[in-house]
Amino acid sequence: MRKCFTILFLSFFLLSASHLAAQTTTYPDTQEQTQRIGVVVSEKKMTVFNAPYNTSLKVFSLVGVKVAEFKVTLTRQDFYLDLPIGYYIVKVGEQTFKIAIR
């Protein structure tokens, strides 16, 4: 009798646990719901993708000096950087990227 009760109890527990797991709702991160901003550099041309309208784009040297600033007004926009060869940090809204000018 005790064996039968144990099996019945375990079966009930496993079935209710699987039912609860099926009802669990997961919510994606807010960044997954929005499109990611992309930055691509080819020689002195920098292309920005999916940036929100009227976002500021700032370019910094590696020591933290701001060397350029632009406003993003299109979904895909090109910027021509008149900067010496080297590495720079680009901040688009709240996202930060590393770029290399070659």
Side-chain angles (χ1 to χ4, degrees):
M1 179 74 170
R2 186 172 184 180
K3 220 183 220 185
C4 186
F5 178 72
T6 305
I7 292 172
L8 185 61
F9 178 74
L10 287 175
S11 299
F12 175 75
F13 178 73
L14 290 174
L15 287 175
S16 64
S18 65
H19 179 66
L20 289 175
Q23 288 182 345
T24 304
T25 305
T26 57
Y27 297 100
D29 293 342
T30 55
Q31 281 195 343
E32 288 180 2
Q33 291 176 350
T34 61
Q35 293 180 340
R36 290 192 178 265
I37 297 172
V39 175
V40 177
V41 177
S42 175
E43 294 187 21
K44 293 198 179 246
K45 181 177 94 171
M46 177 174 59
T47 305
V48 178
F49 300 94
N50 299 327
Y53 176 75
N54 212 18
T55 301
S56 78
L57 179 144
K58 298 175 185 173
V59 182
F60 298 92
S61 68
L62 287 182
V63 294
V65 177
K66 183 169 44 171
V67 294
E69 185 171 6
F70 304 99
K71 283 286 185 192
V72 179
T73 57
L74 301 171
T75 303
R76 180 184 183 275
Q77 190 166 355
D78 295 330
F79 299 97
Y80 293 93
L81 303 173
D82 190 23
L83 298 172
I85 293 173
Y87 295 98
Y88 296 90
I89 299 168
V90 176
K91 185 171 182 182
V92 183
E94 296 297 318
Q95 293 187 22
T96 306
F97 304 91
K98 291 186 303 183
I99 64 167
I101 304 291
R102 299 177 187 196

